[in-house]
Amino acid sequence: MTEFGDYAESRADRAADRSGDDQQTSAIGLGLSAVAYALLEVAAAIRENTEARQ
């Protein structure tokens, strides 16, 4: 797992720790950042695969 994957996992863990109405916005933001970092992980893997094929 690359740095992006590590960030995604840590953000998802932090979002899971949030509870209560006052923490809902924070959990949503952390969840969205986890998704964004996961997408960056996928993009990096695609880039590596494409470069390896050339």
Side-chain angles (χ1 to χ4, degrees):
M1 192 174 338
T2 68
E3 187 176 342
F4 295 126
D6 292 338
Y7 282 141
E9 186 175 359
S10 72
R11 297 305 190 274
D13 289 343
R14 287 176 55 193
D17 290 339
R18 308 291 172 150
S19 62
D21 291 338
D22 58 335
Q23 298 287 324
Q24 186 175 13
T25 301
S26 179
I28 290 169
L30 287 168
L32 289 173
S33 69
V35 170
Y37 280 115
L39 289 172
L40 288 171
E41 176 81 12
V42 170
I46 290 170
R47 187 178 314 114
E48 273 184 30
N49 188 25
T50 302
E51 289 172 355
R53 288 181 171 200
Q54 293 179 355

